Amino acid sequence: MKLSLRLPIAAMLLALAASCAPSKFKTYDGPPVTQIVVNKSQRQMLFLSGSSVIAAYDVGLGNEPVGHKQFSGDGKTPEGLYYIDRRNPDSSYHLSLGISYPNPVDSGFALAQGQDPGGDIFIHGWGPEGHALAPRKRDWTAGCIAVRDDQIEDIYAMVRDGTPVLINP
């Protein structure tokens, strides 16, 4: 076979193999998620449809898990009412859903203290960093809420932008 025919055939075989690989993007046809509740002290995240819990996951938190996030770099996970405000399909942590921290109260407090409130708080998978740290240290993020990669795939499919996230101490 000529070299000119081998390259297109090899490219087609590679494309076919890639299309057979499992996707990290799942579909969800269950009841709508109307609220996410994170109970930091229990390291648990609940997904509610109305008043019914439809899913629950164990989580890892910021590397300083006690207390409300106040400043950039404090390692704390925020507490209070926030919303899912963005999603990142190309996250370094497999997939991620953004949480609307800081809200105006968080920003005002930090600025009054001459500090940066921080940001980029997500519900995310482990990704390579988590696979290295999570088996040894449960709370390893910079303030995010972490679940296993297979779990964030389910969560990413279940949750819509605008979903309220209540984070309790």
Side-chain angles (χ1 to χ4, degrees):
M1 190 182 294
K2 291 184 179 179
L3 181 60
S4 61
L5 287 177
R6 287 184 187 164
L7 289 175
I9 291 171
M12 287 188 321
L13 288 174
L14 214 82
L16 180 62
S19 69
C20 294
S23 173
K24 65 182 179 179
F25 301 105
K26 296 181 179 179
T27 57
Y28 175 73
D29 62 358
V33 174
T34 58
Q35 184 178 30
I36 301 168
V37 177
V38 178
N39 295 312
K40 288 173 53 175
S41 63
Q42 296 170 331
R43 304 299 191 280
Q44 189 174 55
M45 183 165 48
L46 307 173
F47 292 79
L48 284 76
S49 184
S51 61
S52 298
V53 175
I54 58 172
Y57 298 95
D58 292 332
V59 299
L61 302 169
N63 56 37
E64 294 293 335
V66 177
H68 173 59
K69 181 167 195 61
Q70 296 180 314
F71 310 119
S72 178
D74 66 9
K76 296 181 179 184
T77 300
E79 296 171 357
L81 181 62
Y82 300 94
Y83 298 88
I84 298 297
D85 65 353
R86 62 202 182 279
R87 50 189 60 234
N88 184 356
D90 299 316
S91 173
S92 298
Y93 299 96
H94 195 60
L95 292 169
S96 61
L97 296 170
I99 296 175
S100 62
Y101 176 89
N103 63 28
V105 173
D106 298 322
S107 294
F109 176 81
L111 295 175
Q113 305 299 311
Q115 298 280 332
D116 177 354
D120 285 338
I121 301 297
F122 289 87
I123 298 170
H124 62 66
W126 282 3
E129 183 178 357
H131 285 285
L133 294 174
R136 294 176 293 149
K137 186 176 182 189
R138 182 173 200 166
D139 299 319
W140 56 270
T141 75
C144 296
I145 300 163
V147 294
R148 293 189 329 256
D149 289 349
D150 62 314
Q151 294 170 331
I152 193 62
E153 290 175 3
D154 293 336
I155 294 165
Y156 198 88
M158 292 169 60
V159 175
R160 299 288 149 241
D161 290 356
T163 301
V165 181
L166 178 61
I167 306 173
N168 297 314

